[in-house]
Amino acid sequence: MHAALPPLMVSSGFLPTGPLLESLTDISSEVISMDKFPFVQIKNVSTMIRRIKLLSSLYEEIQEINSPLPPSSILSLTELFSVIQRVKLLIQVCKEGSALWNLVQTEIISNQFHVIVKEMRRSLDILPLSLLNLTADTKEQVEFLHKHAKRVELYVDTREIQIREELLQVMATNNEKNSMNKGFIDFRKLKEIFSSIGLRSSFDYDQEIMKLGAEAERQAGTGGHIVVSNINNLISLISLSKSMIFSEEETEKTHRDLRPRSALLRHQDHSSSSQSIFNVPDEFSCPISLDLMRDPVIVAPGQTYDRNSIAQWINSGHHTCPKTGQRLIHKALIPNYALKSLIHQWCQENNIPVSEPASLSSSSSERGNSKRKSCEKAIDHISATKKVMDDVKMTAEFLVGKLATGSPDIQRQAAYELRLFAKTGMDNRRLIAEAGAIPFLVTLLSSPDPRIQENAVTGLLNLSIFENNKILIMAAGAIDSIIDVLLSGKTTEARENAAAAIFSLSIIDDYKVMIGVRPRAIPALVKLLGEGSTDRKRDAATALFNLAVFNVNKASVVVAGAVPLLIDLLMDDKAGITDDALAVLALLLGCSEGVEEIRKSRVLVALLIDLLRFGSPKGKENSITLLMGLCKDGGEDVARRLLTNPRSIPSLQSLAAEGSLKARRKAEALLRLLNRCCSQSRNPAE
C-alpha cells in the first residue's frame, strides 16, 4: 500500500517531498501492476497505464537525486498524485464493476478517461523540467507524454458501441415479447455478446447479477426511475439468459464448488478487518465524539463535526457551538465535502470501510426488501456527477459567505477550509472560483492576522493551478497584494507561497509582461533570492526563471542585481540550488545587459569548469551554454582561460562523447569554437 497521503495534505504548507514521491511511486506501481485488463475500455485502460508507466521513471529519478524541489514541482507532483488516484479508481470501476453497465455507459466512461488525460496535461504544464536534474531519457519521456496529452482526443471503442447496439436490439426484442414467446430471443447471439465482455460461466452470470443489483442501489438515489428500470431490465435479461444457456446441473455444480471458497474469503475478510486498529488523525476526528467523522458537516460558526454527533448535541437542546461556545445563528448543517473527500481517501488507504457496517443480524430478506424499495422509489433524473457538483458548489458558497461576513476567527477557518478544498481537483478549483472566493481571498492578503494571510495566499496559489482562475486572479488585482506578501508577509510560508503564486501566474505569457512591469515584482524576487531559507531562494529562482523566459524581463532581472546573487549561489553548497541559479544565468545571456554583467565576474569561469566535471546532467548543459555565450562576440579572454585551464578541454571532450544529447551537441560546438580561437591565435591575420 502506498503512503497515507491525505493526512499529510491537511497540514499547512506543501506535502514533504519524500512522502509525496513515495506515494507517487507506490500508487503508480499499483496502477502499472493492473495487468488483467477489463473486457470493456481495454484501449483506454491500457493506454492510461502506459502513461502512468512513463511518468513513474520521473518520480524514481527525482527520489534518487534526493535534492529539494521548487514549489511548482511540488504542486505539479501533488496534482499528479490526485490524477493517478482517479485513474486507479476509474480502472477499478472498469475491472470490478458491472461489465454490462459499463458497456451501456461506454461514452461516459470514455469521457472520464479523456478528462483525466487533460488534467494530467494541466499538471505537467506547471512542471519546470528545465529546473530538475533529470536524465535526457526521462525528460524526453515526460515531454513526449506532455505533448501527446495536449493532442489526445476522446476515444470511444467502436467495437464496444457495436456490441452495445446488438445488446440493446436484443433487449428491445425481449421487451416486445411476452413470457410465452421466449423462443424469439436469439440466446446464441446473447451468449456471444456476454462472452465478448467476459461473462462465460454460470458463476460469471451470477456475479454480474450481483454487480448490477449493487449498481441499481447506487443509482436509486441519483439516477431516478428510468436508470434503475434500465438496470433491472439488464438483470432480467441476464437471469433469463443464464437459465436458458446453462443447465441446472452445471449451475448447481458451480455453486457447490465456489460456495466454500466464498465463505472462507468472507471469514478471512472479517477476521482481518476486526484485527485492524488505526490511529485516526486529529483532523479527521469529531471534536464531540473523538471518533472518525463519517459525514463531516459545518455549523454556523465554521467549525466541523460529524453529522450524528452535532445533531444529537442540537437535538438535546443546545444552541451553541460545542468547540467555540458561540451561539448558533442558524441550525443548518452544511456538508464539508472537501474534508469528506480526504477522509474517504484515508479510509481507502487503510482499508477502513467508508460507511458504518450493516448489522450482522440483518436477514437476507430484509436486505432484499430494502433493495426493492430503493429500486421502486421514483425520483427526478439527476446525474450523480451533477449531484456531487451541486453539493461541492453549496459548500464553496457557504465558505465564501463566511469569508465575506465572518469574524476574524471564522474567516481564518473558512480560508483554511477553502485552501484545503482547492488543493485537489480541477472541478473544486473551478467551483470555488465560481462561488466568488477569489476577490475575498485577495482582500484577505492584507489581513493583520498571519494565519489568515497565509491561508489566503496559499488558497490563491492552489486555485491558480486551474488555468481560467489565473485570469480571474489577475482581474481581481491580486498581483500587487501578492507582491506585498512576498516583500513583507507575516510568515515564512506566506512569503514562499507568494513567490510560488507569481510563478504559477506567470505561466501565461501575457502575465509575464504584466508582472514584469510591476516595479516591485522582480526586485522583490531578487531580494528573496539573497536572503532567508533555501526554500525561499529556490522559490525566487524558479519565479525569476519563468519571468526571464520573456525577453522584456531579462534586463529588469539584471538591473535588480540578480547576477551577483546567482553566482554566489553557485558557490553555496548549503543552498543546494546550483542548477536553478545556472538556469536563470543561462537565460540572462539573452540580453546585452546580462552578458555584460556576467562577464564582470572573476570566479564564474572557474566555477563553470568545475561544474563541467562534477555538476548534474542539466547543470553541465547550462554550464556549457554559459561558457559559449561568454566566448562569443568579444569573449577572447574567456576562450583563452578555457584553453589554458588543464581541466576544461578534457571535460568538454568527455561530455562530447558520453554526455546527454544536448550536452554532446553543445560540447562539440564549444570545442569547435575554441579550436577556431586557437587557430587564430597561432596564425594572426597579416
Side-chain angles (χ1 to χ4, degrees):
M1 294 298 293
H2 51 273
L5 177 62
L8 291 169
M9 292 173 63
V10 174
S11 62
S12 61
F14 294 107
L15 179 66
T17 306
L20 173 58
L21 292 170
E22 290 173 8
S23 299
L24 278 165
T25 301
D26 291 344
I27 196 170
S28 297
S29 297
E30 290 180 19
V31 174
I32 294 168
S33 65
M34 292 178 173
D35 51 354
K36 186 178 178 182
F37 294 162
F39 288 90
V40 292
Q41 298 292 333
I42 296 175
K43 183 172 180 180
N44 278 326
V45 169
S46 59
T47 304
M48 187 63 75
I49 290 176
R50 284 198 299 272
R51 292 188 182 103
I52 303 303
K53 193 170 184 178
L54 281 174
L55 282 173
S56 62
S57 59
L58 170 68
Y59 323 134
E60 292 168 359
E61 193 165 315
I62 293 176
Q63 274 184 305
E64 290 173 2
I65 294 170
N66 194 27
S67 61
L69 298 177
S72 54
S73 299
I74 298 174
L75 271 175
S76 174
L77 295 174
T78 303
E79 186 62 26
L80 281 173
F81 180 87
S82 176
V83 169
I84 297 173
Q85 276 188 317
R86 291 182 58 191
V87 169
K88 177 185 172 184
L89 293 174
L90 186 54
I91 293 177
Q92 285 175 338
V93 167
C94 294
K95 290 181 66 175
E96 300 168 9
S98 162
L100 278 174
W101 184 245
N102 289 341
L103 183 68
V104 172
Q105 301 278 86
T106 186
E107 290 98 344
I108 295 173
I109 297 175
S110 297
N111 187 63
Q112 290 175 343
F113 276 105
H114 187 230
V115 168
I116 288 176
V117 175
K118 291 194 291 184
E119 292 194 1
M120 184 180 291
R121 187 263 299 171
R122 294 189 189 108
S123 301
L124 293 174
D125 281 344
I126 58 173
L127 181 67
L129 283 176
S130 58
L131 298 184
L132 300 178
N133 302 328
L134 303 175
T135 61
D137 289 342
T138 299
K139 185 176 178 183
E140 287 174 6
Q141 282 183 356
V142 177
E143 288 175 339
F144 167 78
L145 179 61
H146 190 197
K147 290 176 182 177
H148 182 267
K150 289 181 178 179
R151 299 193 304 268
V152 71
E153 296 181 355
L154 173 66
Y155 175 78
V156 181
D157 194 330
T158 54
R159 182 189 67 88
E160 292 178 11
I161 296 294
Q162 181 181 352
I163 295 172
R164 185 185 63 183
E165 293 305 314
E166 293 172 355
L167 174 65
L168 294 177
Q169 186 176 358
V170 174
M171 289 180 66
T173 303
N174 184 38
N175 290 335
E176 291 170 3
K177 309 301 177 183
N178 57 43
S179 60
M180 296 297 294
N181 292 323
K182 291 177 183 176
F184 284 96
I185 300 176
D186 188 348
F187 288 104
R188 181 177 298 176
K189 182 65 177 177
L190 269 181
K191 185 177 180 180
E192 291 177 3
I193 292 172
F194 293 153
S195 178
S196 69
I197 58 173
L199 308 180
R200 294 167 183 170
S201 69
S202 175
F203 179 69
D204 291 337
Y205 280 57
D206 286 339
Q207 290 293 101
E208 182 66 14
I209 291 169
M210 289 175 58
K211 292 175 181 178
L212 284 168
E215 187 64 42
E217 287 189 2
R218 282 193 293 271
Q219 294 288 342
T222 57
H225 180 68
I226 297 174
V227 176
V228 173
S229 176
N230 288 336
I231 296 175
N232 285 334
N233 285 340
L234 288 173
I235 293 174
S236 299
L237 182 62
I238 198 168
S239 298
L240 175 62
S241 301
K242 177 194 166 191
S243 64
M244 298 299 292
I245 294 172
F246 298 97
S247 66
E248 293 182 4
E249 291 80 9
E250 181 186 357
T251 301
E252 182 58 30
K253 181 179 182 300
T254 303
H255 284 180
R256 284 199 306 270
D257 292 342
L258 292 169
R259 192 177 296 119
R261 183 173 63 182
S262 299
L264 176 62
L265 289 174
R266 286 196 299 271
H267 174 73
Q268 289 175 342
D269 289 344
H270 176 71
S271 299
S272 62
S273 62
S274 64
Q275 294 172 1
S276 299
I277 300 175
F278 294 93
N279 292 321
V280 178
D282 291 340
E283 298 86 352
F284 299 162
S285 300
C286 175
I288 297 175
S289 67
L290 303 181
D291 292 331
L292 179 69
M293 289 187 282
R294 303 284 180 171
D295 187 7
V297 293
I298 306 170
V299 297
Q303 301 297 320
T304 297
Y305 301 92
D306 186 74
R307 183 183 293 275
N308 288 338
S309 298
I310 191 64
Q312 290 177 14
W313 170 268
I314 294 173
N315 292 339
S316 64
H318 295 92
H319 304 286
T320 58
C321 172
K323 193 171 183 180
T324 66
Q326 292 176 274
R327 186 170 184 80
L328 300 176
I329 58 175
H330 62 75
K331 296 181 181 179
L333 303 178
I334 307 299
N336 188 336
Y337 286 98
L339 185 57
K340 188 173 184 178
S341 174
L342 296 177
I343 291 173
H344 280 203
Q345 290 178 19
W346 181 80
C347 288
Q348 289 171 356
E349 296 289 342
N350 292 283
N351 290 329
I352 296 175
V354 173
S355 57
E356 293 293 343
S359 172
L360 296 176
S361 63
S362 299
S363 66
S364 58
S365 62
E366 288 173 339
R367 290 195 295 271
N369 290 335
S370 174
K371 174 182 171 183
R372 284 194 294 273
K373 289 178 182 178
S374 296
C375 294
E376 291 168 0
K377 185 179 180 181
I379 60 173
D380 291 336
H381 179 73
I382 304 173
S383 70
T385 301
K386 184 177 185 300
K387 177 72 164 56
V388 171
M389 289 300 99
D390 286 345
D391 291 337
V392 171
K393 184 178 180 181
M394 181 173 66
T395 304
E397 289 173 346
F398 175 81
L399 293 172
V400 171
K402 295 303 177 185
L403 287 184
T405 61
S407 66
D409 287 341
I410 292 174
Q411 287 180 327
R412 186 187 309 110
Q413 182 67 26
Y416 179 70
E417 296 279 357
L418 285 170
R419 167 185 176 172
L420 289 181
F421 209 173
K423 203 160 191 176
T424 55
M426 291 298 181
D427 285 330
N428 286 358
R429 295 177 183 121
R430 174 178 59 81
L431 291 169
I432 291 170
E434 289 177 359
I438 288 174
F440 292 111
L441 289 174
V442 171
T443 301
L444 293 178
L445 291 175
S446 58
S447 170
D449 185 301
R451 291 302 166 193
I452 291 178
Q453 184 188 69
E454 179 185 305
N455 290 333
V457 73
T458 309
L460 289 170
L461 168 60
N462 293 338
L463 288 172
S464 71
I465 298 174
F466 184 59
E467 190 162 336
N468 192 59
N469 286 351
K470 291 180 172 65
I471 300 171
L472 298 176
I473 291 170
M474 293 296 288
I479 189 61
D480 289 319
S481 297
I482 293 174
I483 293 170
D484 287 338
V485 177
L486 175 62
L487 281 167
S488 55
K490 293 177 172 56
T491 67
T492 299
E493 185 174 345
R495 293 191 292 273
E496 291 176 356
N497 289 346
I502 290 176
F503 170 81
S504 178
L505 294 171
S506 64
I507 287 174
I508 296 179
D509 285 343
D510 288 346
Y511 297 161
K512 289 181 174 67
V513 180
M514 294 175 64
I515 295 170
V517 298
R518 293 298 200 282
R520 298 181 303 150
I522 289 175
L525 291 170
V526 171
K527 180 182 178 183
L528 194 65
L529 193 68
E531 60 185 34
S533 66
T534 297
D535 288 338
R536 290 177 64 191
K537 292 177 180 178
R538 182 173 293 104
D539 295 335
T542 307
L544 285 170
F545 176 87
N546 208 34
L547 291 174
V549 168
F550 204 76
N551 288 330
V552 174
N553 293 330
K554 288 182 170 66
S556 299
V557 174
V558 175
V559 171
V563 170
L565 294 172
L566 291 167
I567 294 173
D568 287 343
L569 288 174
L570 297 181
M571 297 183 287
D572 187 353
D573 293 333
K574 293 182 179 179
I577 56 173
T578 300
D579 285 353
D580 304 81
L582 281 172
V584 181
L585 286 169
L587 277 179
L588 296 181
L589 283 175
C591 69
S592 57
E593 294 89 346
V595 175
E596 181 180 351
E597 190 67 25
I598 292 171
R599 279 181 176 165
K600 291 179 181 179
S601 173
R602 296 182 178 181
V603 298
L604 180 59
V605 173
L607 287 170
L608 295 177
I609 292 172
D610 286 340
L611 289 169
L612 290 178
R613 301 171 62 201
F614 306 115
S616 68
K618 191 64 185 176
K620 291 174 181 178
E621 290 177 19
N622 282 326
S623 296
I624 301 173
T625 300
L626 281 161
L627 288 171
M628 284 187 65
L630 293 172
C631 287
K632 290 180 179 179
D633 301 325
E636 294 83 0
D637 179 61
V638 175
R640 283 194 296 271
R641 291 168 65 185
L642 284 174
L643 289 168
T644 56
N645 189 301
R647 298 188 302 272
S648 59
I649 300 302
S651 297
L652 288 170
Q653 289 172 336
S654 175
L655 287 171
E658 301 174 357
S660 66
L661 180 61
K662 287 186 178 180
R664 291 199 300 269
R665 291 174 180 171
K666 292 179 179 181
E668 289 168 357
L670 182 53
L671 285 169
R672 288 195 297 270
L673 178 62
L674 293 175
N675 188 46
R676 287 197 300 270
C677 292
C678 185
S679 299
Q680 290 171 1
S681 64
R682 291 175 180 174
N683 302 297
E686 294 181 359

